[in-house]
C-alpha cells in the first residue's frame, strides 16, 4: 500500500480506517504453504474475523480454526454462500474447533456437524460425550511457551504426563481421539518451543500407540510470528527447524495441521487515523487521534503489541506522545513516538495492524470502530 493510496482512501471514506490488502493475505498463506509443505493451514479466525478474509482464504485453499459457535457459523455460512462448484465436504478438512472449553449449548449446537473439537481435561471430555457425542476429539497438550510474546500455557493444555490417560479415557467413553494439538504461545520468537513441543507430542503418540490407541493428526497450533520488527526471524528459518523435526519424529502418513492467525493477517492491514487534538504537556507534544486502544489499537492492551505511527509529512522529527480520543488515560497509543511537527487534521498511519486489532475493538465512549476497507478482495 502506498502513502498516496492510503491518503486517497482516507479522503474518500473519512477516518479512522483500516485498509486490508487481500493480496498480502494470499501471499502470506502461500508463503506458509510453501515453507511448510506437509502442513495444512487452518487460519485462526480470532486474529481477524472479517467475513471477506474468511472468503479469500477459503478460495486460496485454507481451512479454519474457530473458538466459538459464532466463529464456527461464520466460516460455515461463508463457505455455504460460495457457488456450488467451490463447495466440498469440509467439516474436518475445513474446520477445527480449537477452544478446549466449550459451553454445553455450543456442543449441542455443533453436534449435528460432527465437528472436530479439542479438550484438555476429563470434565470437558464428559461434557463432549454428553452434548456432542458425534464429535471427534483432539487432545491439547501443554508445551513450553518461553520467549513467546503472548503466553498461553497457564490456561490451556494437559500435562504431558497425563496425556495418555486422557486419551484412554476418551476411548473408554467411545469417543475417538483423532489428534494431538499444542500452541507454543503467540508471536513465538523462540524456535526451540516448537522443537520441544514436537518432541513431547511424538513421545505421547508413541506411548499412546503402544497402549493400542494410534493417533492420526498432529496440530502444531499457531505462534508463527508476524514481521513487526527486524529481530523477528523469517518464516523460512523457523519452518526449516519444524520440517526437520517433523521428518525425524513422525511417520510419513501422519496428517499435520497448523493454526496460524497473526502470520496470515498482521501484515495485510494498515490503519489511518486523523489528529483531532494537539497539546503540549511537560515539554512534550501530545497528539490525540480519532482511533485508539479501545479501537484499532486494542492490541496494545490485549496483544502486548506496540504499533509505530508514521506521518505522511516529512520534516525534522521529535519525541511526542500519541493518545486516543476517549476520556480514559489508558487510551495511550505511545508515550514516545518519533514524528515530525504535525497539526490538527493531519493523518497518521500504522502498519502491520491486521491481527488482534479490529478483532478486539469496542464502542467505548460512543466512538465506533474504524471502517474496514478491503483491497484486492475480488480476483
Ligand atoms: C489464538 C490461537 C491461534 C492463533 O495464534 P497465532 O499466534 O495468532 O498464530 C491458534 N490456535 C489457537 C488454539 C488459538 O487460541
Amino acid at each position: 500500500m502506498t502513502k498516496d493510496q492510503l491518503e486517497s482512501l482516507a479522503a474518500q471514506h473519512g477516518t479512522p480506517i483500516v485498509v486490508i490488502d487481500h493480496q498480502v493475505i494470499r501471499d502470506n498463506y502461500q508463503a506458509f504453504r510453501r515453507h511448510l509443505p506437509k502442513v495444512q493451514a487452518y487460519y485462526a479466525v480470532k486474529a481477524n474475523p472479517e467475513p471477506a478474509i474468511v472468503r479469500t482464504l477459503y478460495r486460496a485453499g485454507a481451512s479454519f480454526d474457530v473458538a466459538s459457535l459464532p466463529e464456527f457459523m461464520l466460516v460455515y455460512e461463508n463457505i455455504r454462500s460460495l457457488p456450488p462448484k467451490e463447495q466440498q465436504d469440509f467439516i474436518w478438512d475445513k474446520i477445527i474447533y480449537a477452544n478446549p472449553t466449550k459451553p454445553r449449548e455450543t456442543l449441542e449446537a455443533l453436534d449435528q456437524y460432527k465437528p472436530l473439537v479439542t479438550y484438555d481435561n476429563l470434565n470437558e471430555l464428559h461434557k463432549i460425550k454428553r452434548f456432542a457425542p458425534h464429535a471427534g476429539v483432539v487432545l491439547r497438550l501443554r508445551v513450553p511457551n518461553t520467549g513467546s510474546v503472548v503466553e498461553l500455557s497457564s490456561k490451556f493444555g494437559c500435562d504431558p504426563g497425563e496425556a495418555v490417560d486422557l486419551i484412554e479415557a476418551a476411548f473408554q467413553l467411545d469417543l475417538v481421539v483423532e489428534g494431538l494439538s499444542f500452541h507454543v504461545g503467540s508471536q513465538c520468537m523462540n524456535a526451540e518451543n516448537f522443537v520441544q513441543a514436537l518432541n513431547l507430542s511424538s513421545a505421547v503418540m508413541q506411548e499412546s500407540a503402544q497402549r493400542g490407541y494410534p493417533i492420526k493428526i498432529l496440530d502444531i497450533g499457531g505462534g508463527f510470528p508476524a514481521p513487526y520488527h527486524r529481530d523477528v526471524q523469517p518464516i523460512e528459518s523457523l519452518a526449516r527447524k519444524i520440517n526437520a523435526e517433523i521428518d525425524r519424529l513422525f511417520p510419513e502418513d501422519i496428517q499435520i495441521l497448523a493454526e496460524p492467525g497473526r502470520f496470515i493477517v498482521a501484515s495485510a492491514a494498515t490503519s489511518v487515523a486523523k489528529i483531532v487534538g494537539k497539546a503540549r504537556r511537560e515539554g512534550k507534544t501530545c497528539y490525540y487521534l480519532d482511533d485508539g486502544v479501545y479501537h484499532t489499537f486494542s492490541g496494545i492492551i490485549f496483544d502486548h503489541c506496540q504499533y509505530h505511527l508514521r506521518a505522511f509529512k516529512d520534516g525534522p522529527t521529535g519525541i511526542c506522545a500519541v493518545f486516543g480520543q476517549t476520556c480514559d488515560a489508558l487510551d495511550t497509543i505511545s508515550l514516545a513516538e518519533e514524528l515530525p511537527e504535525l497539526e490538527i487534521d493531519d493523518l497518521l498511519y500504522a502498519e502491520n495492524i491486521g491481527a488482534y486489532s479490529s478483532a478486539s475493538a469496542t464502542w467505548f465512549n460512543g466512538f465506533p470502530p474504524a471502517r474496514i476497507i478491503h483491497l484486492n478482495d475480488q480476483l
Side-chain angles (χ1 to χ4, degrees):
M1 257 170 270
T2 66
K3 282 164 98 171
D4 284 352
Q5 248 178 322
L6 293 170
E7 271 188 305
S8 81
L9 287 168
Q12 193 184 333
H13 298 281
T15 56
I17 53 172
V18 174
V19 186
I20 300 177
D21 185 345
H22 287 244
Q23 190 51 46
V24 176
I25 294 176
R26 284 188 286 269
D27 291 347
N28 288 344
Y29 173 74
Q30 295 306 343
F32 191 91
R33 297 286 294 148
R34 194 164 61 249
H35 293 297
L36 291 158
K38 290 190 181 164
V39 181
Q40 168 68 346
Y42 284 60
Y43 168 62
V45 173
K46 83 171 187 287
N48 193 323
E50 275 295 302
I53 293 179
V54 171
R55 282 193 291 273
T56 290
L57 284 166
Y58 182 75
R59 288 202 194 93
S63 302
F64 299 89
D65 152 24
V66 301
S68 66
L69 185 59
E71 284 188 1
F72 182 94
M73 293 318 296
L74 170 72
V75 172
Y76 189 77
E77 291 302 324
N78 267 285
I79 291 169
R80 277 206 322 189
S81 71
L82 289 170
K85 70 174 168 46
E86 293 184 43
Q87 284 184 28
Q88 51 180 273
D89 177 22
F90 64 87
I91 287 291
W92 287 12
D93 280 350
K94 285 290 165 189
I95 306 182
I96 182 168
Y97 190 108
N99 186 340
T101 303
K102 294 158 287 298
R104 64 162 74 174
E105 294 81 3
T106 297
L107 289 169
E108 281 169 344
L110 287 174
D111 192 46
Q112 60 176 304
Y113 304 105
K114 302 189 172 74
L116 190 59
V117 304
T118 61
Y119 76 107
D120 63 8
N121 66 76
L122 217 45
N123 287 323
E124 190 69 19
L125 200 55
H126 288 292
K127 209 163 50 175
I128 294 168
K129 173 66 186 170
R130 186 154 163 224
F131 299 108
H134 298 98
V137 297
V138 169
L139 178 65
R140 169 104 169 239
L141 288 178
R142 181 166 70 235
V143 298
N145 277 205
T146 319
S148 294
V149 175
V150 185
E151 195 272 340
L152 298 168
S153 58
S154 57
K155 182 169 173 187
F156 302 109
C158 72
D159 191 293
E162 48 175 27
V164 183
D165 287 343
L166 280 168
I167 292 167
E168 186 154 45
F171 280 99
Q172 280 167 359
L173 289 170
D174 269 333
L175 290 167
V176 176
V177 182
E178 301 290 341
L180 275 188
S181 78
F182 58 76
H183 197 305
V184 297
S186 200
Q187 188 69 6
C188 172
M189 304 287 281
N190 175 12
E192 200 49 35
N193 283 349
F194 275 103
V195 172
Q196 288 188 33
L198 290 165
N199 279 271
L200 276 170
S201 304
S202 156
V204 169
M205 280 193 177
Q206 277 174 28
E207 196 192 326
S208 182
Q210 276 161 17
R211 280 214 229 162
Y213 309 115
I215 289 174
K216 296 185 295 222
I217 300 172
L218 176 66
D219 173 357
I220 65 173
F224 306 90
Y228 297 120
H229 45 78
R230 277 189 210 93
D231 5 315
V232 177
Q233 64 174 323
I235 188 77
E236 288 88 322
S237 61
L238 180 58
R240 211 174 302 125
K241 292 182 187 126
I242 293 174
N243 289 332
E245 288 301 286
I246 287 176
D247 289 343
R248 189 171 75 77
L249 294 167
F250 298 96
E252 254 324 293
D253 61 353
I254 190 153
Q255 199 184 325
I256 301 178
L257 57 101
E259 301 163 353
R262 182 191 302 285
F263 178 82
I264 303 288
V265 289
S267 60
T270 303
S271 75
V272 184
K274 189 168 71 178
I275 295 174
V276 295
K278 178 178 179 181
R280 217 166 153 78
R281 282 182 214 291
E282 290 167 354
K284 190 156 72 176
T285 303
C286 302
Y287 297 111
Y288 297 78
L289 303 188
D290 60 0
D291 205 344
V293 307
Y294 284 95
H295 299 86
T296 310
F297 292 85
S298 56
I300 291 172
I301 308 290
F302 297 123
D303 192 37
H304 316 276
C305 190
Q306 189 55 55
Y307 304 99
H308 286 292
L309 290 160
R310 298 184 202 287
F312 290 88
K313 279 183 178 167
D314 292 324
T317 60
I319 298 294
C320 58
V322 182
F323 299 108
Q325 65 183 334
T326 67
C327 278
D328 182 0
L330 181 71
D331 196 357
T332 300
I333 298 172
S334 173
L335 290 174
E337 282 301 282
E338 192 163 339
L339 291 168
E341 188 69 23
L342 298 167
E343 303 305 332
I344 288 173
D345 288 339
D346 282 345
L347 301 178
L348 288 171
Y349 67 100
E351 296 173 303
N352 295 320
I353 198 160
Y356 308 114
S357 50
S358 320
S360 42
T362 72
W363 277 77
F364 182 56
N365 247 189
F367 297 113
R371 176 197 286 258
I372 312 271
I373 316 269
H374 296 281
L375 296 184
N376 302 315
D377 56 328
Q378 302 298 336
L379 276 181

